[in-house]
Amino acid sequence: MKTQRRNFLKIAAMAVLGWGVRPASEILASGGGTASEGLLFASRHKVHVGPNALTASRWAMVIDTAKLNEKVMEDIVHTCHSIHNVPTIPGNQNIKWIWETHMDHLFLEDLHEYQPEAGAKSALALCNHCDNPPCVRVCPTKATFQREDGIVMMDFHRCIGCRYCMAGCPYGSRSFNFMDPRKHLETTNPDFPTRTKGVVEKCEFCAERLAEGKMPACVEVSEGALAFGDLGDPESEVRKLLAERFSIRRSPTLGTKPCVYYLV
Amino acid sequence: MLEKAINGSKVYWGWIAFLLLLMSIGAACYWQQLSHGLTITGMSRDVTWGFYIAQFTFLVGVAASAVMLVIPKYLHNYHKFGKILILGEFNAVAMVILCLLFIVADLGSPQRLMNVLIHPTPNSVLFWDMVVLNGYLLINILVGWVTLESERKQIAPPKWIKFFIYLSIPWAVSIHTVTAFLYCGLPGRGYWLTAVLAARFLASAFAAGPAFLILVTYIAKIFTGFDPGKGVLATLGKTVVYAMCVNLFLLLCEVFTVFYSQIPSHMAHLQYLFVGYHGHGVLVPWMWSAMIMAVVGILILIVPKNREQDNLLIIGCLLIFIGAWIDKGLGMIGGGFVPNPLHEITEYVPSQLELGVSLGIYATGFLVLTILYKVAIGVKQEIE
Ligand code: SF4
Ligand code: SF4
Ligand code: SF4
């Protein structure tokens, strides 16, 4: 009881001291590339890895917009949605983990009207697995949490459906199950859970596949348009691409530090 | 004292029956929501909070208004408010209950509500909102009941209750500040990302709350002959009109900042609300009505002579109350989501079932309010 109370007081005191928790924790963090130590209390979860698992200090994705075309994007969306049991729901109460959208919706402040014609017209949007994720900051139950390797995860069984994280995410990356999603699934992949109505969901960087030693499904079917790897490793494919080519991120001025990069 | 609630006239029982009827309609609608999910609402992937959360936001303000009686009475020894103080406190109780009901109604998985307590998360403002709302509820139940009890026994209230009375002042400010903090501080939501939001919330609360109190006191007067004392409501009307002036001033500060800076993501929301945005503007007529009501309400109530006249005071308070309700109960939340951060426009209109649930919740709140007022006024009339 006593320790419990002390813990509570400690947490309360820290909460009062540090609304801007993240910067403080960055100062306290002991280096280690971009995989900075956890938020003080929006705790970063340890990753429990099996024998074949792919691991990284900071997972990131690089999207080469020049290599995307209608067909590739369709394949990617279809693959992700079918293996993750994402239902197809008509209307604006739909669920999207990864989707095609116009470049000027993706990059509101970075594009202008005199861009070359040849540039990509649309690209893919998905959760950015932000390094400073507002969705984690606002969640009242820790149903949205971040792992030490940067992946922002959802605990479907803990989520109370308050949708605060959706107000917090400035990229529209999250979807809410307004209705029972199972009724809108034509086929079900038994290896991945289906969800119930009343919870939020989103892309999880295929954490379940990484645990088995597989790359994210979208990367596999992207015909080279998507790369995935460890930002903390200078030899990784993503780091090489970022070093060679010019890349941008979505709304970087918001300070969320997205870990999905777009080559333009 | 509760026995006062079961001795009533035909009108009283008719009103209770009417509220129970509305509550059952609300329950039927909520049953639909439980079985089909929030899909029965007008909300969408882009507008994820709607009528429920907006009502909660508005009602927090009405609840906080009790402090506008407590401060004059206890900090400035303005004893005239003593007679309606208990109405203010019981009003706060009913309004906070309404707030909590609206929050629960908004949850996608209400059966997991307790997760907020099982996994307390101090980095979430929602956690603190729960703490301050429940705290305010308890403080007002305690203070209201204890002072009423001693009034009935015609003894002075116990000394220790003073502590809670004083505590209720910063606490009232906190409930509205924390509620504003739910919205401000979210990246990419230009309409809410402003430091004056909490101040604006408080100003509109201190206008709408006392306006509501004035209106219900008149209603209580009609039905029970309860006399709040000469000039009390007129004085309270002064609070209403000053607070509304501050509220409008803060809105103008907002408008200046947004449009002089010319930052598109901040301008878009005000444009959407007041002139429409890319051909979308369901809220435009509402917002202009709200502005007109606020201004006319101010013009009526700012004249001291008008506040002395029952009819004008009632009209002024009604206008200001409805104006504030539209501004916060419709515009604040809906307008914050449109356009979304990707500059896509999805408009929001509450569905009929959603309004049905809200009706039921409001009826529940008014039932609590009626019973508490019945008890309070009964006790007051007994000792006279
Ligand atoms: S993109 Fe949105 S949902 Fe994904 S981590 Fe960032 S804030 Fe959270
Ligand atoms: S909807 Fe679920 S995940 Fe999102 S903030 Fe609420 S509890 Fe957390
Ligand atoms: S990383 Fe996995 S979950 Fe995320 S979009 Fe790609 S396939 Fe879908």
Side-chain angles (χ1 to χ4, degrees):
Chain A
M1 184 60 221
K2 215 172 180 179
T3 48
Q4 248 179 24
R5 207 180 62 191
R6 197 175 309 137
N7 273 339
F8 176 77
L9 289 178
K10 214 159 74 187
I11 291 174
M14 289 201 295
V16 172
L17 286 177
W19 217 268
V21 265
R22 195 46 202 253
S25 67
E26 267 170 10
I27 295 164
L28 295 173
S30 53
T34 39
S36 40
E37 263 301 308
L39 293 157
L40 279 181
F41 20 80
S43 63
R44 282 206 175 176
H45 291 219
K46 271 229 157 9
V47 186
H48 304 285
V49 287
N52 301 321
L54 300 179
T55 57
S57 59
R58 189 47 174 108
W59 286 116
M61 185 181 279
V62 175
I63 298 179
D64 189 344
T65 57
K67 286 193 186 157
L68 289 174
N69 58 43
E70 287 300 317
K71 188 180 162 298
V72 170
M73 288 197 270
E74 232 170 71
D75 283 350
I76 288 177
V77 173
H78 177 76
T79 308
C80 171
H81 284 191
S82 56
I83 66 165
H84 293 116
N85 296 323
V86 177
T88 311
I89 298 173
N92 56 21
Q93 294 184 338
N94 53 344
I95 313 263
K96 299 192 276 194
W97 281 28
I98 182 167
W99 69 99
E100 183 188 343
T101 187
H102 285 285
M103 287 295 270
D104 42 357
H105 288 296
L106 276 169
F107 303 105
L108 289 173
E109 274 137 28
D110 301 301
L111 298 182
H112 53 78
E113 52 206 290
Y114 305 113
Q115 229 87 37
E117 283 291 314
K121 292 270 178 302
S122 62
L124 291 169
L126 71 163
C127 168
N128 292 289
H129 296 271
C130 307
D131 213 35
N132 182 15
C135 56
V136 174
R137 187 156 62 228
V138 299
C139 177
T141 62
K142 306 190 189 87
T144 296
F145 59 95
Q146 187 165 33
R147 303 199 314 188
E148 279 177 345
D149 60 4
I151 300 185
V152 174
M153 303 271 293
M154 279 283 321
D155 182 341
F156 304 126
H157 299 286
R158 189 185 277 198
C159 173
I160 59 172
C162 64
R163 309 184 297 296
Y164 198 3
C165 53
M166 299 180 81
C169 172
Y171 305 100
S173 299
R174 308 187 139 241
S175 307
F176 176 68
N177 286 284
F178 281 93
M179 61 198 89
D180 181 3
R182 288 163 194 161
K183 288 186 186 144
H184 296 268
L185 286 173
E186 274 170 26
T187 54
T188 311
N189 170 15
D191 297 333
F192 199 81
T194 52
R195 275 76 67 194
T196 54
K197 67 176 190 300
V199 299
V200 163
E201 58 179 76
K202 66 172 195 73
C203 152
E204 294 185 315
F205 260 3
C206 282
E208 83 286 357
R209 290 172 61 92
L210 296 173
E212 293 174 356
K214 291 190 236 163
M215 279 300 226
C218 54
V219 177
E220 269 184 6
V221 300
S222 69
E223 297 176 11
L226 270 51
F228 192 74
D230 187 357
L231 269 192
D233 171 11
E235 296 305 314
S236 68
E237 190 189 350
V238 287
R239 280 287 292 274
K240 283 186 184 147
L241 280 170
L242 294 179
E244 281 163 16
R245 303 264 306 272
F246 181 69
S247 57
I248 53 177
R249 297 187 287 176
R250 294 174 67 189
S251 307
T253 50
L254 298 179
T256 57
K257 303 192 186 164
C259 283
V260 173
Y261 295 78
Y262 294 81
L263 304 176
V264 287
Chain B
M1 289 189 289
L2 266 178
E3 77 281 355
K4 296 255 177 297
I6 47 169
N7 298 320
S9 63
K10 276 212 178 98
V11 185
Y12 173 70
W13 284 111
W15 170 242
I16 299 276
F18 175 64
L19 289 178
L20 288 173
L21 177 76
L22 295 185
M23 281 165 69
S24 38
I25 295 176
C29 295
Y30 189 62
W31 179 249
Q32 289 291 312
Q33 181 176 314
L34 275 185
S35 43
H36 299 288
L38 285 167
T39 182
I40 62 121
T41 68
M43 287 183 267
S44 60
R45 200 174 178 277
D46 283 333
V47 185
T48 51
W49 282 336
F51 200 69
Y52 299 148
I53 289 296
Q55 299 316 297
F56 144 70
T57 310
F58 174 71
L59 292 167
V60 173
V62 184
S65 68
V67 73
M68 281 301 155
L69 303 173
V70 174
I71 292 178
K73 172 144 188 343
Y74 286 96
L75 298 187
H76 300 281
N77 291 321
Y78 185 77
H79 291 297
K80 271 188 174 175
F81 277 169
K83 247 188 143 176
I84 54 166
L85 189 59
I86 183 79
L87 298 189
E89 272 150 7
F90 280 171
N91 177 50
V93 172
M95 293 304 136
V96 177
I97 290 176
L98 273 177
C99 292
L100 295 171
L101 287 174
F102 270 114
I103 294 178
V104 174
D106 185 66
L107 292 183
S109 305
Q111 75 281 9
R112 298 190 190 146
L113 175 66
M114 284 301 146
N115 277 3
V116 178
L117 293 176
I118 302 169
H119 310 287
T121 312
N123 49 278
S124 174
V125 186
L126 208 61
F127 169 79
W128 293 107
D129 214 29
M130 177 208 70
V131 171
V132 293
L133 278 178
N134 284 296
Y136 196 61
L137 180 63
L138 292 180
I139 291 177
N140 276 288
I141 292 179
L142 185 73
V143 170
W145 207 255
V146 170
T147 47
L148 190 65
E149 186 90 60
S150 36
E151 205 168 303
R152 186 165 81 143
K153 295 190 191 132
Q154 299 195 302
I155 51 171
K159 280 242 162 58
W160 56 265
I161 200 71
K162 273 264 167 95
F163 170 77
F164 289 96
I165 291 172
Y166 289 126
L167 182 65
S168 77
I169 297 173
W171 208 288
V173 175
S174 84
I175 61 170
H176 225 28
T177 308
V178 176
T179 304
F181 284 178
L182 279 180
Y183 305 102
C184 45
L186 299 181
R189 308 274 175 196
Y191 191 45
W192 301 332
L193 192 63
T194 156
V196 300
L197 199 68
R200 246 184 95 191
F201 272 28
L202 282 169
S204 87
F206 293 154
F212 181 75
L213 259 182
I214 291 173
L215 294 172
V216 283
T217 311
Y218 271 115
I219 295 172
K221 193 172 166 186
I222 293 168
F223 285 105
T224 65
F226 168 73
D227 179 18
K230 209 176 151 23
V232 168
L233 295 185
T235 312
L236 197 53
K238 212 187 284 175
T239 314
V240 174
V241 68
Y242 289 167
M244 200 57 182
C245 289
V246 175
N247 185 30
L248 276 195
F249 170 71
L250 289 173
L251 178 66
L252 288 178
C253 293
E254 199 79 75
V255 170
F256 173 80
T257 313
V258 162
F259 287 103
Y260 199 77
S261 72
Q262 294 279 308
I263 299 175
S265 59
H266 287 250
M267 288 194 296
H269 301 277
L270 280 171
Q271 285 169 337
Y272 170 70
L273 286 175
F274 286 100
V275 292
Y277 193 69
H278 293 306
H280 298 272
V282 279
L283 287 174
V284 173
W286 289 92
M287 292 310 285
W288 282 109
S289 320
M291 286 301 118
I292 293 167
M293 286 187 207
V295 171
V296 175
I298 287 177
L299 289 179
I300 293 177
L301 292 185
I302 200 91
V303 183
K305 259 199 305 208
N306 290 351
R307 292 198 294 265
E308 304 285 342
Q309 292 182 35
D310 289 353
N311 286 341
L312 284 176
L313 183 60
I314 290 174
I315 293 173
C317 285
L318 256 182
L319 286 173
I320 285 185
F321 182 77
I322 299 174
W325 178 79
I326 295 175
D327 181 34
K328 256 181 159 175
L330 291 178
M332 181 56 68
I333 310 305
F337 280 108
V338 189
N340 77 0
L342 280 75
H343 259 219
E344 295 156 345
I345 302 169
T346 310
E347 288 196 288
Y348 164 77
V349 180
S351 73
Q352 282 176 9
L353 282 173
E354 203 174 355
L355 293 176
V357 173
S358 308
L359 189 72
I361 295 178
Y362 267 116
T364 314
F366 276 100
L367 185 73
V368 174
L369 190 70
T370 308
I371 292 174
L372 289 176
Y373 272 30
K374 181 88 179 33
V375 172
I377 292 174
V379 168
K380 292 216 179 262
Q381 289 176 331
E382 180 190 275
I383 52 175
E384 261 169 16

